């Protein structure tokens, strides 16, 4: 009989033990795969969010610059403001190519928060030339007009030409354009001319941040230092934001990897213990196999093959479990990680899946060596005697 078929039949005869062993392996592989997929997805989407800003740095009020920059990237509101004199000083700083003001404001509509971006449209569009508009974009001098993100338009069923009550006084604003999907947080924003945003929300002369482009990206560090000489102002470069967040993610990843190593070690001991118990229970079987002509290396191959089948199927089940549960994992992450990137946080690929399955097979191979060698050392007579006694 083919050794592989024989191994499968042996596993079928011990279904409960086989299923429990596979389940343990599947859970360990699912955790490992989910962590790797989250790491790849988070870094990838974070870079997209940062790149979508199209700027080199943000000038913010002095305080906690990284928190402020994160809030600005994701539509949050910070309690401090800059003013137009600050904007003038930044524009006149050596090495600055463009400095454009932004006012963020959060307001409630039917109990849900909405984010306003007050911008100088001509300058913002030069920073983000990839923007595509259904309808048209506003002129900076226009009043009571707005552009909305595609995600917001779909969620609220907004159309070009529609009038929308806006601001504390519910002034009628016309939606003159819908921003095509960009994949960033801006898909959920209201965009209005800066002067109108300041007027409607009584923030005349106030701005939340100044988006800055340097003449040369290589000199952005020196430009940032010059801007920080302005009183009560701090600067965060996009490189700093990315590096800081990735360092935090890296620290969490190290902790999780340590937990996975512990999980894999426990799983390995569990597999080894299960195999040793199985070998002990099958003493008579191995003795009979030797009595009818099976050699030691045949017994070793049988035990190893059974283990490899179990660990391979457990690895495949673990990857499938992680893929099926990816949506739940992502929802949990978004609820517990503030200002997570807007795109998919779980980025799986075939190489990652094969890596995890391969690791489970290698784990099975290592764990099966001692039980297999032990089973092969038994002589037929000893096996029969131990069974009779």
């Amino acid at each position: 009989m083919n050794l592989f078929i024989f191994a499968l039949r042996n596993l079928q005869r011990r279904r409960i033990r086989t299923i429990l062993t596979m389940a343990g392996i599947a859970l360990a592989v699912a955790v490992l795969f989910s962590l790797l997929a989250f790491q790849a997805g988070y870094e990838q989407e974070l870079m997209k969010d940062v790149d979508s800003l199209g700027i080199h740095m943000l000038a913010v009020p002095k305080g906690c610059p990284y928190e402020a920059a994160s809030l600005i990237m994701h539509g949050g509101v910070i309690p401090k403001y800059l003013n137009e004199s600050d904007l003038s000083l930044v524009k006149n700083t050596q090495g600055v190519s463009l400095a454009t003001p932004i006012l963020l404001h959060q307001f409630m509509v039917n109990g849900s928060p909405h984010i306003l971006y007050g911008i100088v449209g001509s300058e913002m569009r030069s920073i983000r030339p990839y923007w595509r508009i259904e309808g048209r974009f506003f002129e900076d001098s226009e009043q009571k007009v707005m552009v909305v993100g595609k995600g917001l338009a779909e969620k609220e069923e907004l159309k070009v030409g529609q009038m929308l009550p806006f601001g504390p006084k519910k002034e009628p604003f016309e939606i003159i354009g819908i921003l095509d999907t960009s994949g960033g947080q801006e898909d959920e924003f209201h965009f209005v001319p800066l002067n109108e945003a300041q007027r409607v929300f009584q923030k005349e002369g106030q701005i939340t941040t100044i988006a800055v482009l340097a003449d040369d990206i290589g000199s952005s560090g020196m430009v940032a230092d010059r801007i920080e000489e302005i009183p009560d102002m701090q600067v965060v470069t996009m490189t700093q934001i990315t590096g800081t967040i990735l360092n935090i993610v890296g620290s969490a990843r190290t902790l999780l990897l340590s937990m996975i190593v512990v999980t894999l070690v426990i799983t390995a001991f569990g597999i080894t213990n299960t195999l040793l118990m199985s070998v002990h229970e099958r003493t008579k079987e191995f003795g009979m196999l030797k009595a009818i002509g099976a050699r030691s290396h045949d017994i070793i191959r049988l035990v190893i093959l059974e283990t490899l089948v179990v660990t391979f199927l457990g690895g495949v089940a673990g990857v499938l479990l992680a893929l099926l549960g990816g949506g739940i994992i992502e929802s949990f992450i978004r609820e517990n990680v503030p200002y997570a990137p807007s795109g998919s946080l779980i980025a799986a690929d075939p190489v990652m899946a094969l890596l995890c399955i391969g690791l489970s097979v290698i784990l099975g191979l290592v764990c099966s060596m001692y039980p297999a060698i032990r089973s092969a050392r038994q002589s037929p007579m000893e096996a029969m005697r131990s069974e009779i006694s």
Side-chain angles (χ1 to χ4, degrees):
M1 181 184 293
N2 183 283
L3 192 62
F4 181 73
I5 301 299
F6 188 54
L8 290 180
R9 289 185 178 177
N10 281 335
L11 294 174
Q12 288 177 343
R13 285 192 293 119
R14 299 170 178 82
R15 288 182 182 175
I16 295 179
R17 179 172 293 173
T18 300
I19 291 172
L20 290 176
T21 304
M22 285 176 55
I25 296 167
L27 287 174
V29 171
V31 172
L32 175 62
F33 184 80
S34 298
L35 173 63
L36 294 176
F38 167 68
Q39 174 195 343
Y42 192 94
E43 292 184 6
Q44 178 178 310
E45 294 304 323
L46 175 64
M47 294 304 297
K48 282 184 181 179
D49 271 9
V50 173
D51 290 342
S52 70
L53 291 175
I55 57 176
H56 297 154
M57 65 194 78
L58 290 170
V60 297
K62 184 164 287 186
C64 182
Y66 295 110
E67 180 184 3
S70 181
L71 286 168
I72 291 164
M73 286 172 60
H74 297 91
V77 177
I78 56 178
K80 294 182 178 181
Y81 294 93
L82 300 172
N83 55 52
E84 293 182 354
S85 62
D86 294 322
L87 174 63
S88 178
L89 291 172
V90 173
K91 285 186 173 182
N92 293 325
T93 300
Q94 181 183 352
V96 172
S97 172
L98 174 67
T100 184
I102 300 172
L103 174 66
L104 278 81
H105 192 81
Q106 188 176 89
F107 60 98
M108 305 299 291
V109 177
N110 298 325
S112 61
H114 285 234
I115 303 299
L116 160 75
Y117 246 61
I119 59 174
V120 178
S122 56
E123 294 178 348
M124 188 60 69
R125 295 195 72 186
S126 69
I127 292 175
R128 302 178 183 175
Y130 56 85
W131 272 2
R132 297 291 179 268
I133 305 291
E134 176 190 345
R136 67 179 182 87
F137 213 83
F138 49 73
E139 300 295 331
D140 296 329
S141 59
E142 285 188 87
Q143 296 181 335
K144 297 186 178 182
V145 293
M146 72 166 58
V147 171
V148 297
K150 185 73 169 181
L152 177 63
E154 291 177 348
K155 186 187 304 180
E156 303 287 339
E157 297 182 351
L158 304 176
K159 306 291 183 183
V160 174
Q162 181 176 338
M163 303 301 292
L164 187 70
F166 187 67
K169 298 181 180 179
K170 305 298 181 184
E171 299 179 44
F173 270 59
E174 181 184 0
I175 299 174
I176 62 172
I178 295 176
L179 183 67
D180 281 353
T181 302
S182 65
Q185 298 285 347
E186 59 199 25
D187 290 342
E188 305 293 331
F189 294 160
H190 299 259
F191 297 90
V192 301
L194 176 63
N195 292 333
E196 276 293 87
Q198 292 171 329
R199 178 186 67 81
V200 170
F201 292 99
Q202 299 178 358
K203 302 290 183 183
E204 284 84 356
Q206 294 180 320
I207 52 181
T208 306
T209 184
I210 302 170
V212 180
L213 278 177
D215 289 328
D216 177 15
I217 190 172
S219 63
S220 57
M222 290 186 293
V223 174
D225 290 340
R226 295 188 190 113
I227 294 175
E228 286 193 329
E229 294 175 2
I230 301 172
D232 298 322
M233 187 179 296
Q234 286 182 283
V235 175
V236 183
T237 66
M238 296 301 101
T239 303
Q240 289 173 324
I241 294 173
T242 305
T244 300
I245 296 176
L246 290 183
N247 283 339
I248 295 172
V249 173
S251 300
R253 182 173 67 245
T254 301
L255 175 61
L256 289 174
L257 282 173
S258 301
M259 294 170 61
I260 286 178
V261 169
V262 173
T263 302
L264 290 175
V265 170
I266 294 173
T267 303
F269 278 111
I271 294 172
T272 305
N273 182 61
T274 301
L275 289 173
L276 287 172
M277 290 175 62
S278 177
V279 167
H280 178 73
E281 292 172 359
R282 297 166 67 185
T283 299
K284 181 179 178 180
E285 177 187 331
F286 292 142
M288 292 181 65
L289 287 174
K290 281 198 167 184
I292 62 175
R295 292 165 293 183
S296 295
H297 74 268
D298 293 323
I299 304 298
I300 292 175
R301 288 171 57 199
L302 177 63
V303 174
I304 291 177
L305 186 57
E306 290 177 3
T307 308
L308 293 182
V309 170
V310 171
T311 52
F312 173 76
L313 294 178
V316 172
V319 170
L320 292 177
L321 179 64
L323 291 173
L324 292 174
I328 299 174
I329 295 171
E330 183 164 337
S331 298
F332 175 80
I333 292 171
R334 290 196 181 281
E335 289 176 3
N336 292 276
V337 178
Y339 308 112
S342 55
S344 175
L345 299 181
I346 307 295
D349 62 71
V351 174
M352 192 183 298
L354 291 174
L355 176 64
C356 292
I357 294 171
L359 181 61
S360 69
V361 171
I362 293 171
L363 183 67
L365 180 63
V366 172
C367 293
S368 66
M369 296 306 295
Y370 174 66
I373 293 172
R374 181 174 174 178
S375 65
R377 286 176 176 173
Q378 295 176 349
S379 68
M381 293 306 296
E382 289 175 347
M384 294 301 181
R385 276 200 301 269
S386 65
E387 186 66 26
I388 292 172
S389 60

